[in-house]
């Protein structure tokens, strides 16, 4: 009989958010009248803004006539979107990124997983703990499960990871952070870039929540740090920035100065490897999604998405204040849509998840699902309506702890 990839047997039995969803569904099935407020998976709830919707309608119409029809697009993404990204997300911040360093994809999650194709299985990996589970799972699938160093992010270090001790080749950083909602200052991120330079490592920088940054000392891009173009890949997503979780579009920046080595010692351009990979395995994000994403960068689009982001940040503020008002320790929620809450009295993450679900009908994500340092925490998301956020805080505040 054919053999399957053994690495899959090393994965945890279910993907975290599928498991959370399964438990909520089981509860709802047993308690059909329960009015559950879902603050578990970080999925947006506000509709896509008018400028983007109009642009996507126009793109649909383009597909209806021979003169404007688009079939397969470029695997790297349409030039109009790459130009808009280079100009708005980078040049406006004083960062020179060339358009052929930008690859449009169908969302950061796919690119983050797929980039594993580029790296030898012998590489050592470092991730923060707690961590977005995709980094760990995809490295386990790619035979690097035994060489992952976990960098604890706990209250004692203000959720800022110490530099690694095992000299990793690949370092995953996600800032603003999922799940803790915390950030790194420019000085802190500079230490990581210097570490990668000194150790010949690559940083895979997940910047999916960049749009939520409000603090002035928090960098919006890793390329704000000198030298980062030689050591870092940056992943961005329109999912949380503009409500594209269902539409699917994001991008990955791979500077041409970022180089690794083949096992024979010869030098490899990571940009060229990714381009080669994408040409073989990807036919580009949809034209309609890319036209929608382009509209985010119009003045009207910027104004509209800004309004939605402020709406979610207000929810985050309400959650933060609500939880700290209950005497709970809280992190995150200032430059991010996630609030990281310490469970009371040594309650485990899953126990507190059950308690909130059963006694308040509020669903959260148990911190332990993000790694062992997440035990004793839960994550709440601000991606809900204002009304539900206020109602959730009200229900939680009546909980006897
Ligand atoms: C989350 O809840 O952490 C997000 O939905 C994850 C994701 O964007 O895939």
């Amino acid at each position: 009989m054919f053999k399957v990839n053994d690495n899959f047997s090393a994965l945890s039995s279910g993907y975290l958010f599928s498991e959370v969803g399964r438990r909520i569904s089981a509860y709802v099935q047993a308690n059909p009248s329960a009015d559950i407020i879902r603050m578990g998976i970080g999925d947006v709830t506000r509709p896509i803004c008018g400028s983007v919707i109009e642009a996507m309608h126009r793109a649909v119409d383009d597909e209806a006539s021979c003169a404007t029809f688009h079939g397969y697009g470029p695997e790297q993404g349409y030039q109009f979107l790459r130009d808009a990204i280079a100009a708005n997300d980078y040049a406006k911040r004083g960062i020179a990124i060339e358009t052929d360093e930008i690859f449009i994809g169908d969302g950061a999650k796919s690119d983050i997983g797929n980039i594993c194709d580029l790296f030898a299985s012998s590489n050592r990996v470092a991730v923060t703990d707690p961590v977005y589970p995709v980094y760990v799972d995809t490295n386990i699938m790619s035979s690097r499960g035994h060489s992952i160093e976990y960098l604890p992010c706990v209250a004692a270090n203000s959720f800022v990871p110490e530099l690694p001790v095992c000299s990793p080749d690949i370092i995953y950083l996600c800032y603003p952070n999922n799940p803790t909602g915390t950030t790194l200052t420019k000085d802190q991120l500079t230490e990581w870039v210097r570490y990668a330079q000194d150790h010949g490592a690559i940083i895979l920088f997940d910047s999916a929540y960049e749009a939520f940054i409000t603090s002035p000392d928090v960098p919006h891009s890793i390329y704000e740090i000198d030298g980062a173009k030689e050591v870092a890949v940056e992943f961005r997503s329109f999912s949380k920035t503009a409500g594209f979780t269902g539409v699917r579009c994001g991008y990955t920046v791979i500077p041409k100065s970022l180089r690794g080595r083949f096992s024979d010692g010869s030098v490899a351009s990571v940009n060229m490897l990714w381009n080669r990979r994408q040409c073989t395995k990807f036919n580009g994000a949809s034209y309609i999604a890319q036209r929608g994403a382009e509209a985010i960068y119009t003045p009207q689009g910027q104004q509209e998405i800004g309004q939605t982001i402020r709406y979610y940040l207000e929810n985050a503020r309400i959650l933060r204040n609500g939880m700290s008002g209950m005497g709970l320790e809280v992190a995150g929620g200032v430059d991010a849509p996630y609030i990281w809450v310490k469970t009371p009295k040594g309650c485990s993450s899953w126990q507190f998840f059950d308690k909130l679900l059963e006694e308040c009908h509020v669903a959260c994500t148990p911190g332990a699902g993000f790694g062992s340092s997440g035990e004793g925490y839960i994550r709440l998301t601000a991606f809900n309506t204002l009304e539900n956020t206020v109602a959730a805080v009200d229900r939680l505040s009546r909980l006897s702890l």
Side-chain angles (χ1 to χ4, degrees), residues 48-117:
I48 293 174
C49 70
S51 313
V52 171
I53 293 292
E54 280 166 28
M56 289 198 290
H57 276 296
R58 284 194 298 274
V60 169
D61 289 340
D62 285 349
E63 298 298 69
S65 92
C66 285
T68 50
F69 171 74
H70 288 74
Y72 290 131
E75 295 90 346
Q76 303 78 7
Y78 283 102
Q79 196 61 37
F80 61 76
L81 182 54
R82 300 169 96 190
D83 286 343
I85 291 166
N88 291 283
D89 286 343
Y90 294 101
K92 275 190 184 160
R93 293 193 182 279
I95 302 165
I97 293 291
E98 291 176 36
T99 54
D100 59 357
E101 298 178 309
I102 298 168
F103 294 85
I104 313 299
D106 63 0
K109 184 177 182 176
S110 322
D111 283 3
I112 288 167
N114 292 335
I115 204 158
C116 283
D117 282 1

Side-chain angles (χ1 to χ4, degrees), residues 17 41-42 109 132 178 209 240 338 379:
F17 296 109
I41 186 161
K109 184 177 182 176
Y132 179 44
N178 182 9
Y209 301 94
K240 314 295 160 57
Y338 296 127
R379 190 194 74 176

